[in-house]
Amino acid sequence: MKALCITGMNSANLEQIGSFVIQGDIAEAKPVKRGTSVTIQDWESTILAKQSSPSALKVSSLWRQLASDLLLNNIDSSIWAWVSNNTSTVLLDFWAELDHDIHFLLICNSLQDCLLEEVNKGAQRQELATCYENWCNYHQALLAFYLKHPERCLLVDASNALLHPAELLNVMGERWQWQLGDTVLPDLCEHNDSQDAIAGYIVHQLQQEYFPQPDFAAELNAAQHPLLIKSGKTSSDKTIAIEDVISGYQYQREQQQKLIEENKALYQQNLSMLENSKEQQELLAKHIDELQTEIVQLNGRNNAQQQATEQANARLAHVENEAEALLLELHNTQVELEQALTDYASVQQQRTEAEQQVSRFKQHSQQQAQQQQTLQNQMSELEAHRNQLARSEAELHDRVRHVESEAEKLLVALHNTQQELEQALSLNASAEQQIARLEQRNQQQAQQQQALQDKVSQLEIHCHQLARSETQLHDRVSHVESEAEKLLVELYNTQQELEQALGRQIELEKQLQPQPQVEQLTPRTGLPKLWNGKKTTLPKLGFSELELRHVQVNPDYEHLWFSLKNPQFGKRQLPHWQFRLSCAAIRPGQFGSQPKLEFPKQSQQLLGNWFAESQDDFGEKLELRFALPDAMDKGLWKKLGKEDQRLIQALILQLPAILQQAQQRRPALTRKWQDWHNLAQDINRIYTLKTQKGK
């Protein structure tokens, strides 16, 4: 079973189109018996009469069941149809939802035809405005329904369908794959009456001045299915040619001239009759004079009425212009008020977000301040341990010097003993006992010397152990200092972001509360001083503005090209300086295995020992290469001076903050920002590992 609903705005056109559609293979909808016969048209009229709101359709279960019975009563017909001649489109959605086999033939009338019909009826401007509004509302709803169900709908122009009914049936059969038999329907001839040309021209002028085509008219014309048009004009070609207007005007002039000629003939006939009698002539002359007097009076009245009409039209036009200007001013005021409300809501939301961000920053700064205090305590303990080791080392050096002094004294004593022994050898044999005693004493002194040498060896071993401990302590202190420097940079960046957030909050409060407040948050004094300016080994690269100049994306290589405005490092300062954060050897699903820092050739270079290490499509460059898990180009690193190494160190430490600032200005990239943040962390980790002492 296939059903067809034929609906449109003009009831007369619907009846004509329905008369040649509902015939042959398409049967007319049959009513149901409920005591009396109930047709689909009766059901629609009753439902619309029950609705309190024209936009919202409410159908009770009882009437919904009756609609289902109407469909079931026509189930034995392969194709059946009915004409829905109501002027509301709210029932279309109901039928479309009730049964998906219902198709819709939507008949639309052109705006010019509707206005022309009203003009021919003698409608005034207010009635024409009502017609224009009804046409716009109905056809906009009709277009919306067509766009919602394009496969089940066929949208055609009423005039075109009336001219070519056979082509309409062919289009219906092809669109919905309906087997419709050949029905002989002669195409109607186009009506071209020159008397309607003036009315059409008036409608055309009304459209240009008061009733323009709405915005959806072009889409409505495009959605209409074209039918065969023998005249070569489209269904929407309703333009009135000036020749038709002239032809209509000439036709009316001819009719008026004929009427004048007939009046003259009648006048001559009456005059000939009056010539037969002087009295009749005198009476006729007197009557003519009276008529002329009345004509003059009527002409005067007509002129006065015409002037009054012109004055009234002028006043009406002036009032209409003032009303339109007032409506435009009211519309602009409403738009400004809506925009002000939107801006106020946005400012309130931004203020709430800023307060939440300030709260999070305060918590984060407190946590980092605690971490800083912990690190400072650890550094104090390490410094105390270092001082203790220094004191132990000094004591050990004193003991070594004391042992060396004792050893020298012992060597002097041995030397003296040897001299005494040589003198004793020159004595006589009676001194043998003395020699024996001297030898015994010499042996004892040799044993003491050996014991002193063993003690010196132990002290030397202990000194070596202390030296190794001192080296390890220095490495540990260096690592702690490096971690502390990183934490200080992070704390400093956090403080800068927090101060910026507080500044934005103050600006928002100033916008919301223009009067000065007694208490205001200050971005400097309201926060703990995380960067106290004390002497530290932390390098700092300063700049006034960051620009993400270029993003390069190749299958195996990508880079972010940054430009720093007014960069300053130590005593060196330039207007601009550029560098690139890049990654090579990229494969699908793998990014970050070979990160690099590239410094292109530029007219003014912040690196003092820059040299052309390699070259690519962008020119000569110096690049510092890394590789996962822990490789770094130490050969190139050693070629750089100390200041250049400190500059690159500062850049590596500030890479997370630079990437965060660039992400805020340009949130969307081809690659996720988190991949670049991970790349910067890997560079920092490898750099820290490879630049430690002994690495």
Side-chain angles (χ1 to χ4, degrees), residues 147-396:
L147 296 177
K148 187 176 180 181
H149 307 283
E151 297 84 6
R152 300 166 59 185
C153 297
L154 178 62
L155 185 65
V156 297
D157 179 75
S159 301
N160 207 357
L162 290 173
L163 289 174
H164 309 289
E167 181 63 18
L168 175 61
L169 293 176
N170 293 334
V171 171
M172 289 169 52
E174 293 175 0
R175 184 175 182 84
W176 294 320
Q177 303 299 319
W178 289 356
Q179 299 296 329
L180 301 178
D182 295 333
T183 302
V184 179
L185 294 172
D187 292 344
L188 302 179
C189 297
E190 292 188 32
H191 177 67
N192 185 13
D193 191 355
S194 60
Q195 298 185 31
D196 295 336
I198 297 178
Y201 182 79
I202 294 174
V203 169
H204 181 69
Q205 295 299 318
L206 288 173
Q207 281 188 270
Q208 289 185 345
E209 294 182 10
Y210 302 103
F211 310 112
Q213 290 287 346
D215 297 336
F216 65 89
E219 187 176 5
L220 179 67
N221 292 334
Q224 296 177 18
H225 196 289
L227 301 179
L228 179 63
I229 303 175
K230 296 180 180 179
S231 61
K233 297 183 180 179
T234 62
S235 60
S236 61
D237 188 5
K238 302 293 183 179
T239 303
I240 303 299
I242 190 65
E243 292 81 1
D244 296 336
V245 177
I246 295 173
S247 176
Y249 176 76
Q250 291 175 350
Y251 175 80
Q252 292 185 358
R253 290 283 297 176
E254 290 175 359
Q255 295 296 326
Q256 291 178 357
Q257 190 66 30
K258 290 180 180 180
L259 183 59
I260 291 173
E261 294 295 333
E262 291 175 359
N263 291 334
K264 284 184 178 180
L266 183 61
Y267 176 76
Q268 292 295 334
Q269 183 179 0
N270 292 332
L271 184 61
S272 61
M273 292 174 64
L274 290 175
E275 287 178 351
N276 297 327
S277 176
K278 292 182 178 180
E279 294 179 356
Q280 291 181 354
Q281 291 179 357
E282 292 176 357
L283 292 174
L284 181 60
K286 184 177 180 181
H287 185 63
I288 291 174
D289 293 336
E290 292 176 355
L291 289 176
Q292 289 178 349
T293 304
E294 291 179 359
I295 290 172
V296 171
Q297 294 176 355
L298 290 174
N299 288 334
R301 292 176 183 177
N302 289 334
N303 293 333
Q305 290 180 356
Q306 185 175 2
Q307 292 178 358
T309 303
E310 291 177 355
Q311 293 177 358
N313 290 333
R315 291 181 60 188
L316 179 61
H318 179 68
V319 171
E320 288 178 350
N321 292 333
E322 291 182 349
E324 291 178 356
L326 181 59
L327 288 175
L328 180 60
E329 184 178 357
L330 290 175
H331 177 70
N332 295 333
T333 304
Q334 183 180 3
V335 172
E336 292 176 356
L337 289 175
E338 292 176 353
Q339 184 64 34
L341 290 174
T342 304
D343 294 341
Y344 178 76
S346 177
V347 168
Q348 286 291 101
Q349 183 178 2
Q350 292 178 3
R351 179 182 179 183
T352 303
E353 293 177 353
E355 290 176 352
Q356 294 176 356
Q357 188 176 7
V358 168
S359 177
R360 290 195 299 270
F361 280 152
K362 285 182 178 179
Q363 295 177 0
H364 188 57
S365 62
Q366 290 175 359
Q367 294 176 358
Q368 291 184 341
Q370 293 176 359
Q371 294 178 0
Q372 181 186 11
Q373 185 64 34
T374 303
L375 287 175
Q376 289 178 352
N377 294 335
Q378 292 179 358
M379 291 180 66
S380 299
E381 293 176 359
L382 291 173
E383 189 68 25
H385 190 198
R386 180 180 180 183
N387 294 334
Q388 184 178 359
L389 289 176
R391 289 194 297 271
S392 300
E393 184 180 5
E395 293 176 358
L396 181 61

Side-chain angles (χ1 to χ4, degrees), residues 558 560 591 663 667-678:
E558 295 183 14
L560 300 179
F591 178 80
Q663 183 178 358
L669 293 179
T670 304
R671 179 168 299 281
K672 296 180 180 179
W673 274 104
Q674 188 59 42
D675 293 342
W676 291 106
H677 284 287
N678 295 338

Side-chain angles (χ1 to χ4, degrees), residues 59-90:
V59 181
S60 64
S61 58
L62 179 63
W63 287 96
R64 186 180 294 271
Q65 181 62 41
L66 181 58
S68 300
D69 294 341
L70 285 168
L71 298 183
L72 293 175
N73 197 40
N74 293 275
I75 196 172
D76 55 346
S77 300
S78 59
I79 304 175
W80 58 279
W82 80 94
V83 177
S84 178
N85 55 8
N86 61 82
T87 58
S88 176
T89 59
V90 295

